[in-house]
Amino acid sequence: MTETTPDDRKGLKAKTRLIHAGRRPSEQFGFVNTPIYRGSTVLFPTLDDLTRRNAKFSYGTQGTPTTEALETAWTELSGAAGTVLVPSGLAAISLALLTAVKAGDHILVTDSAYRPTRIFCDGILARMGVETTYYDPWIGAGIEALIRANTSVIFLEAPGSQSFEMQDVPAIAKVARAKGVCTILDNTWATPIFFPPHERGVDMAIEAGTKYLSGHSDLLLGLVSANAQWLNRLRATFDAFAMCPGPEDVFLALRGLRTLDLRLREAERQGLALATWLAERDEVAVVLHPALPSCPGHALWKRDFLGSSGLFSVILRPCSTAALAAMLDGLKLFGMGFSWGGFESLVIPFDCRVYRTATQWSPPGPALRFSVGLEDIEDLKADLAEGFERLRAVG
Ligand SMILES: *Cc1c(COP(=O)(O)O)cnc(C)c1O
């Protein structure tokens, strides 16, 4: 039977590895995919085996062939030493932070971080005696000045998933490494396909598998990958919580993994087409898309990233709330709702002013975030063009 080993795959292109990683047909009666293993109990044939826990899998919380398939594939894709799976992207963030902090520590978190990350830091971590300082995402190597004797973590998100500030990840990672500080990156926007996190110097990387890995808005999942330095602690923290995702969701994520490259590249194409079109509209003041040369983060994106996904924002020229509502309420193809990365297009208004502390967010008008789906781009433009007509009509 033809089946690649991790060694065989080392010489293959990422796109090919994505198809083969985490699959062992020879262990599944030749079936192409690893099936859904459901289970708590694993039986040991003898007392000796039981006593020594002599089995590849010993209990459901510690993994199954289904979870192992996704973990190993993600590890390979990320260039990590290992991966753990948790039930949501936010759980991945909290698990990574809890892996690296202890009472009395100080951590640095980008001001552009996903808002629930801040809520975790300001609530749970503060209660545990961990102090958070938010920093300007553009800080780069200047982060050094904020590192204290008790700083244990620098948390990054590049680009910020609402406001799209880019971060100089290699520069921050270099300073952190020299100071013995752990770096954690929320890599959900780029995925390891467009930003290989560990190669760029990050210790732990988070992915909300809910977004592009799922790709279908039908599951919640989080992944944390770690380099060799952090894997054992990550795994031990995971085992202590036993915060395991359900087997169906892991299976669906594995299914999503096989088309991830294809879908991301289409999202990139669609995203660029829509962002370029929006940039030409009179109603739009600014487009925040790192792959557009007009975006402030473009140079960093070009240097460090291998592509752009289909999530970006625009700032409209000043208009009334009623005009914005007229535009958004009448859209037929763009849904309004949280999350992103599915096959369907979404739009959502946002306002960072309500939570920023280290930086000022003062856009000239309302901000909208788009997640571009797989619809025909001309239909999407027409839906938005009609929306802009309604916006203008109200004023
Ligand atoms: C959605 C999201 C998360 C959280 O993922 P959930 O699975 O919804 O908990 C984390 N980070 C970013 C950047 C996200 O967009």
Side-chain angles (χ1 to χ4, degrees):
M1 170 175 292
T2 47
E3 186 172 298
T4 60
T5 64
D7 266 352
D8 295 333
R9 292 194 289 272
K10 276 188 185 134
L12 299 173
K13 301 269 191 293
K15 197 172 163 183
T16 310
R17 281 192 270 123
L18 203 57
I19 303 301
H20 285 260
R23 287 200 300 110
R24 304 289 301 277
S26 65
E27 294 181 359
Q28 311 298 343
F29 306 99
F31 281 96
V32 169
N33 291 291
T34 309
I36 299 176
Y37 280 82
R38 313 189 65 95
S40 50
T41 304
V42 178
L43 301 176
F44 296 85
T46 68
L47 176 62
D48 181 55
D49 289 318
L50 177 74
T51 311
R52 294 190 296 113
R53 296 268 197 289
N54 179 34
K56 182 159 180 196
F57 300 99
S58 56
Y59 190 62
T61 55
Q62 285 164 10
T64 67
T66 313
T67 59
E68 188 198 38
L70 182 56
E71 283 173 4
T72 55
W74 197 257
T75 294
E76 224 173 282
L77 181 65
S78 306
T83 301
V84 299
L85 309 178
V86 291
S88 72
L90 185 54
I93 291 166
S94 36
L95 185 74
L97 283 166
L98 287 173
T99 295
V101 298
K102 63 180 188 312
D105 280 356
H106 166 250
I107 65 169
L108 291 163
V109 175
T110 176
D111 211 24
S112 56
Y114 175 66
R115 195 178 179 190
T117 302
R118 301 177 78 106
I119 296 172
F120 180 76
C121 295
D122 298 342
I124 306 294
L125 290 188
R127 209 202 302 149
M128 285 173 50
V130 176
E131 185 191 350
T132 302
T133 301
Y134 294 96
Y135 67 88
D136 184 336
W138 298 109
I139 199 164
I143 192 99
E144 186 162 2
L146 300 182
I147 296 177
R148 305 178 191 166
N150 63 338
T151 303
S152 56
V153 169
I154 300 174
F155 190 96
L156 307 96
E157 183 174 319
S161 57
Q162 283 190 326
S163 44
F164 292 90
E165 292 95 340
M166 197 42 89
Q167 292 201 259
D168 192 338
V169 179
I172 293 174
K174 193 170 162 212
V175 169
R177 186 138 307 168
K179 295 263 181 185
V181 174
C182 175
T183 44
I184 303 175
L185 168 71
D186 187 334
N187 197 31
T188 303
W189 182 81
T191 84
I193 290 182
F194 288 156
F195 189 86
H198 303 292
E199 207 176 288
R200 300 281 189 271
V202 163
D203 292 314
M204 284 189 268
I206 276 141
E207 183 78 20
T210 309
K211 312 292 167 55
Y212 282 116
L213 179 58
S214 147
H216 292 73
S217 308
D218 55 2
L219 65 89
L220 292 156
L221 191 75
L223 305 93
V224 188
S225 61
N227 61 15
Q229 191 191 339
W230 284 93
L231 181 60
N232 287 346
R233 261 180 84 169
L234 172 66
R235 192 81 219 179
T237 312
F238 171 82
D239 285 340
F241 281 94
M243 190 160 50
C244 334
E248 311 269 348
D249 295 334
V250 176
F251 177 85
L252 287 171
L254 269 168
R255 172 190 257 246
L257 184 77
R258 306 304 171 196
T259 56
L260 180 61
D261 187 275
L262 183 69
R263 289 183 289 101
L264 267 180
R265 284 177 206 284
E266 184 61 12
E268 174 173 48
R269 204 166 11 248
Q270 298 264 93
L272 280 168
L274 197 70
T276 308
W277 180 80
L278 283 162
E280 301 283 303
R281 296 287 312 193
D282 287 341
E283 300 85 351
V284 174
V286 185
V287 178
L288 302 171
H289 187 309
L292 291 192
S294 59
C295 190
H298 183 68
L300 284 174
W301 173 80
K302 210 167 159 179
R303 189 192 69 189
D304 294 340
F305 285 66
L306 306 171
S308 61
S309 60
L311 188 81
F312 66 94
S313 294
V314 302
I315 312 290
L316 300 180
R317 294 196 193 283
C319 70
S320 67
T321 305
L324 188 65
M327 174 186 179
L328 297 179
D329 291 353
L331 292 173
K332 295 191 177 76
L333 303 180
F334 285 84
M336 259 193 291
F338 299 104
S339 203
W340 47 275
F343 54 78
E344 81 291 11
S345 289
L346 298 174
V347 62
I348 198 140
F350 67 93
D351 186 355
C352 305
R353 275 174 307 190
V354 292
Y355 58 85
R356 292 262 170 147
T357 52
T359 52
Q360 283 250 321
W361 169 257
S362 49
L368 296 177
R369 187 182 73 179
F370 291 94
S371 175
V372 185
L374 303 174
E375 303 89 342
D376 187 285
I377 195 73
E378 296 308 320
D379 289 338
L380 293 180
K381 289 181 196 169
D383 197 28
L384 290 179
E386 284 174 24
F388 283 132
E389 292 308 314
R390 291 190 297 275
L391 181 138
R392 280 175 174 282
V394 178

